Amino acid sequence: MAVRRHAFHNPLSPTKSDIAPEGATLAESNKLLDAVVDLAEELQVSTGITCLWGTANLFSTKRYMNGASTNPDAHVFAYAAAQVKKVMEVTLRLGGQCLVFWGGREGYQSLLNTDVKQELDHMAAFFKMVVAYKAKIGATYQLLIGACMFPSAGPADFVSARLLCPSFSISVFR
């Protein structure tokens, strides 16, 4: 099997990392990632293998146990935004065609203790920042959102969310 593309996932994650480990600080994590990306660029040139997509791990650490873009803690939201900013830059640097958002922990743990509208407003603000930064850095890659980004364990959660927040809706394109 001839491999023509690669993807990177999980940078800045202490538990699962396929490109660079997490450092003690965000700055150290970014430095470790940059060192690996230098090598990735060299390997892309020497092999002809290109980057299909990049993504940030915003779900497998305790930091994001209450979501990343939907987190009520501004510090966690800001860390997630900084992490995505770096991944956007790296994806551009490697010539990636897509930036993928997987958010298996976005949204509520229980509809009993959440403000669905607030969480969706946070997610919308996050994506608006992503779109603005993409334009600022001149990136042309596609932004892809995995269906798991949306809070829903099934139809009952969707109906409950609609009752709590009448403007709640989801459009999923596969």
Side-chain angles (χ1 to χ4, degrees):
M1 175 169 84
V3 176
R4 299 183 326 205
R5 303 242 191 317
H6 73 89
F8 69 90
H9 186 238
N10 298 338
L12 311 178
S13 169
T15 55
K16 297 181 181 206
S17 178
D18 68 9
I19 191 166
E22 183 171 38
T25 65
L26 183 62
E28 183 182 337
S29 296
N30 288 343
K31 186 176 178 180
L32 291 167
L33 180 57
D34 285 336
V36 174
V37 171
D38 290 342
L39 176 60
E41 282 182 313
E42 291 174 23
L43 291 171
Q44 282 186 183
V45 170
S46 67
T47 64
I49 295 172
T50 60
C51 180
L52 179 59
W53 54 264
T55 188
N57 180 344
L58 302 179
F59 52 86
S60 72
T61 69
K62 286 172 50 176
R63 174 186 306 118
Y64 299 126
M65 69 185 206
N66 293 310
S69 69
T70 58
N71 200 298
D73 183 332
H75 296 97
V76 174
F77 182 94
Y79 197 99
Q83 188 174 333
V84 169
K85 177 183 180 286
K86 184 62 175 178
V87 170
M88 292 175 74
E89 294 163 355
V90 168
T91 302
L92 177 63
R93 188 173 158 194
L94 294 177
Q97 296 176 4
C98 305
L99 182 75
V100 182
F101 293 91
W102 305 101
R105 285 187 166 177
E106 289 300 335
Y108 53 80
Q109 294 287 329
S110 166
L111 284 171
L112 299 174
N113 65 350
T114 193
D115 181 339
V116 175
K117 182 181 182 322
Q118 178 182 334
E119 290 179 359
L120 292 175
D121 287 347
H122 285 181
M123 185 182 284
F126 191 87
F127 285 132
K128 286 177 183 177
M129 287 186 263
V130 166
V131 169
Y133 192 65
K134 178 185 171 207
K136 181 178 180 175
I137 63 174
T140 58
Y141 46 68
Q142 289 186 301
L143 301 175
L144 306 176
I145 302 173
C148 63
M149 280 295 291
F150 300 100
S152 177
D157 275 356
F158 179 80
V159 170
S160 299
R162 287 283 296 173
L163 292 172
L164 290 170
C165 180
S167 63
F168 178 79
S169 66
I170 298 175
S171 297
V172 178
F173 302 93
R174 295 182 193 246

